[in-house]
Amino acid sequence: MNSTPGKTNDSLSDSNSEDARQQQILHKKKSSTQLPQPGTTQGSCAFDSAMMTLVPITDAAHVVHGPSGCAASIWGSYSSLSSGSMLYKIRFSSDIDENDIIFGGAKKLYKGILELQRRYKPAAVFVYSTCITALIGDDIEGVCKDATEKTGIPTIPVHCPGFIGNQNLGNRVAGEAMLSHVIGTAEPDTITPYDINLIGEHNIAGAIWNILPLLEKLGIRVLAKITGDAVYKEVCYAHRAKLNVLLSSKALINMAKMMEKQYGIAYIEESIYGIEQINQCLRNIAAKLGNSDLQERTEKLIVEETAAIDEKLAPYITKMQGKRVILVIGSFKSWLIIFAAKKLRMEVIAIKTNSNTEEDRTRVKSLLGQDGIILEQNSPQEILQIINENQADMLIADKRHQDTSLIARIPFLDINQERNHAYAGYIGILEVAQELYAAFYNPVWEQVCQPAPWSEDREAGEAGNSLEEDI
């Protein structure tokens, strides 16, 4: 399978559902009347998302073949953590300039890769094309092949210029690069009947570390993590797993489908955010691995973990039940907060997310109930109106909306893209509960609701003047 953009587009068209095709048709109709806006792909182009997918391979070096600004645009934006090598934290770029654009930057890239390999001895090198180097036609595939032959260290091309598509396409390009050049190139020392791969979790804030102990208790071995806290070698022998577990990311579903076709590895789509969701995830893994003893142990573990987390959440339920909240956040975090709010017996009265499909909207409606409100826009005026009309107790959004909560004088919780807390698994729900509690009962909000000191002085002065006039 080739990882070039053309092949990627072909595979995407094969995997699109009927609903997705209809959405594409509608989008094309709209595009004839809507002009593209400058900067609309910034922060979520194919290049950015391909790097976000592959950079968590921690013992590999990641080289951006393009201007140094391309490397700076994404590095460090997502807090994917490592339990081992920190090589992935170092920025590498060919730093092409005007001269390279005219005469080509392939030789400069080749020399840079050799120097990088000499200094750092990485397990592998991933080379990412960018808009400029794709347009001038630099042959990164040939450079990577020559570098591999010269040094013996695998050097993998990733054809991901930003102009080929959006964030989801970049993730899939990264998946195809792993299928073409990495997976199946090595064998594990041993295999067990309970080997699985975890796909689509990038270990943001250490989320995957909340799940691994649960699987270890059940005797399930995670053969490869693609790609959170991953090492290159384990991705190489991912083809020996008995099951692929796709976690909270549909972007790599093409990869799971191709592994099923090529290696006969079944896959399931699961979520590790929310108590019911993690319970179902563990049950489905045990069922797919097909061992009755494993299923019994799984049910026992679920009962123990659920009882333990219910006991820890009890004080927070007492303090937070009945509170009414509004969510203005994006991606998976909207589901997470809804699940946590329901567990704490809070009421979500309105929600606005950035990327809801019709399927997502139907799911949100079913979770919020008939009275739930889905905001069409996230303007401060609309949010303030909802807060006032529904007597909301709390606003949960990113920091752009903090001023809105100050105007409304209600507590505010910042749920940001660079999150520093691991929300996965049973422990993750406790983390969310602690954050909600700390934000709601922060003493600063009591002070915010009080009149400003100068207002009190003025009111006291006016009262004194009126008293003197009466005398």
Side-chain angles (χ1 to χ4, degrees), residues 385-429:
Q385 183 180 354
I386 297 296
I387 290 173
N388 294 330
E389 290 178 354
N390 295 272
Q391 298 180 335
D393 297 307
M394 189 177 195
L395 175 62
I396 303 173
D398 60 31
K399 58 187 176 183
R400 294 175 299 173
H401 295 283
Q402 186 170 8
D403 289 344
T404 306
S405 72
L406 293 174
I407 294 171
R409 295 188 178 186
I410 63 173
F412 173 79
L413 175 61
D414 179 13
I415 297 289
N416 58 55
Q417 183 171 287
E418 298 81 13
R419 57 195 186 278
N420 298 314
H421 300 275
Y423 295 142
Y426 302 105
I427 300 175
I429 290 294

Side-chain angles (χ1 to χ4, degrees), residues 25-142:
I25 293 171
L26 290 173
H27 177 72
K28 288 179 180 179
K29 289 180 179 178
K30 290 180 181 179
S31 64
S32 62
T33 57
Q34 291 181 325
L35 294 177
Q37 298 298 316
T40 52
T41 61
Q42 183 176 358
S44 60
C45 68
F47 166 76
D48 284 351
S49 55
M51 290 205 69
M52 286 159 46
T53 300
L54 294 174
V55 161
I57 301 177
T58 57
D59 58 348
H62 301 269
V63 179
V64 176
H65 183 39
S68 57
C70 289
S73 69
I74 190 61
W75 226 283
S77 297
Y78 289 79
S79 51
S80 178
L81 300 184
S82 169
S83 58
S85 174
M86 291 295 162
L87 181 60
Y88 75 115
K89 292 285 188 182
I90 303 176
R91 305 181 185 187
F92 297 103
S93 172
S94 58
D95 191 22
I96 65 168
D97 53 24
E98 292 88 345
N99 188 67
D100 300 317
I101 294 173
I102 296 171
F103 296 103
K107 290 183 179 180
K108 187 175 186 179
L109 172 64
Y110 179 72
K111 291 180 180 178
I113 292 173
L114 295 185
E115 180 63 16
L116 155 65
Q117 292 171 335
R118 183 185 69 83
R119 289 191 184 186
Y120 294 93
K121 301 293 188 296
V125 179
F126 288 88
V127 180
Y128 304 83
S129 63
T130 57
C131 295
I132 291 177
T133 53
L135 286 171
I136 64 177
D138 276 352
D139 180 18
I140 68 167
E141 193 129 7

Side-chain angles (χ1 to χ4, degrees), residues 80-259:
S80 178
L81 300 184
S82 169
S83 58
S85 174
M86 291 295 162
L87 181 60
Y88 75 115
K89 292 285 188 182
I90 303 176
R91 305 181 185 187
F92 297 103
S93 172
S94 58
D95 191 22
I96 65 168
D97 53 24
E98 292 88 345
N99 188 67
D100 300 317
I101 294 173
I102 296 171
F103 296 103
K107 290 183 179 180
K108 187 175 186 179
L109 172 64
Y110 179 72
K111 291 180 180 178
I113 292 173
L114 295 185
E115 180 63 16
L116 155 65
Q117 292 171 335
R118 183 185 69 83
R119 289 191 184 186
Y120 294 93
K121 301 293 188 296
V125 179
F126 288 88
V127 180
Y128 304 83
S129 63
T130 57
C131 295
I132 291 177
T133 53
L135 286 171
I136 64 177
D138 276 352
D139 180 18
I140 68 167
E141 193 129 7
V143 170
C144 290
K145 182 179 178 182
D146 292 342
T148 301
E149 292 175 353
K150 177 74 174 178
T151 64
I153 297 175
T155 306
I156 298 103
V158 185
H159 300 279
C160 57
F163 59 70
I164 66 172
N166 61 13
Q167 187 170 359
N168 285 338
L169 183 57
N171 292 333
R172 290 168 177 172
V173 166
E176 292 198 355
M178 285 187 282
L179 278 170
S180 299
H181 302 284
V182 184
I183 294 174
T185 59
E187 296 293 333
D189 295 333
T190 60
I191 58 174
T192 76
Y194 307 114
D195 290 343
I196 67 171
N197 296 324
L198 299 180
I199 299 178
E201 176 55 57
H202 302 324
N203 201 36
I204 304 300
I208 206 168
W209 296 335
N210 289 353
I211 303 302
L212 296 180
L214 299 173
L215 298 173
E216 187 176 349
K217 287 180 181 179
L218 295 173
I220 298 173
R221 185 175 72 158
V222 177
L223 193 63
K225 303 179 291 293
I226 304 175
T227 57
D229 190 24
V231 295
Y232 179 76
K233 186 177 181 180
E234 73 178 32
V235 181
C236 292
Y237 51 64
H239 64 297
R240 292 307 180 193
K242 302 299 186 293
L243 178 68
N244 281 330
V245 183
L246 198 63
L247 297 176
S248 306
S249 175
K250 290 186 178 294
L252 290 175
I253 193 169
N254 270 29
M255 181 180 183
K257 288 181 177 180
M258 290 304 299
M259 290 183 72

Side-chain angles (χ1 to χ4, degrees), residues 316-461:
Y316 298 100
I317 293 175
T318 302
K319 293 290 187 179
M320 301 301 294
Q321 63 181 344
K323 301 296 187 291
R324 299 162 64 83
V325 299
I326 294 177
L327 307 182
V328 187
I329 52 181
S331 70
F332 83 94
K333 291 169 288 186
S334 58
W335 307 114
L336 172 65
I337 298 297
I338 292 175
F339 298 146
K342 283 186 169 292
K343 190 66 180 178
L344 296 174
R345 300 174 190 170
M346 302 170 68
E347 182 182 355
V348 180
I349 58 178
I351 182 171
K352 170 67 174 76
T353 61
N354 296 332
S355 56
N356 274 346
T357 63
E358 286 302 320
E359 181 184 352
D360 291 334
R361 292 174 68 87
T362 303
R363 188 181 179 195
V364 167
K365 269 294 185 184
S366 66
L367 289 172
L368 300 188
Q370 294 299 321
D371 296 331
I373 302 169
I374 299 180
L375 302 175
E376 298 300 329
Q377 299 178 352
N378 58 353
S379 65
Q381 294 81 5
E382 184 183 15
I383 296 172
L384 283 171
Q385 183 180 354
I386 297 296
I387 290 173
N388 294 330
E389 290 178 354
N390 295 272
Q391 298 180 335
D393 297 307
M394 189 177 195
L395 175 62
I396 303 173
D398 60 31
K399 58 187 176 183
R400 294 175 299 173
H401 295 283
Q402 186 170 8
D403 289 344
T404 306
S405 72
L406 293 174
I407 294 171
R409 295 188 178 186
I410 63 173
F412 173 79
L413 175 61
D414 179 13
I415 297 289
N416 58 55
Q417 183 171 287
E418 298 81 13
R419 57 195 186 278
N420 298 314
H421 300 275
Y423 295 142
Y426 302 105
I427 300 175
I429 290 294
L430 182 61
E431 288 274 3
V432 178
Q434 291 171 342
E435 284 197 67
L436 288 168
Y437 174 82
F440 190 85
Y441 287 99
N442 191 322
V444 72
W445 299 113
E446 183 180 350
Q447 299 177 29
V448 166
C449 293
Q450 294 176 355
W454 53 85
S455 299
E456 292 179 350
D457 294 341
R458 184 175 62 187
E459 290 173 1

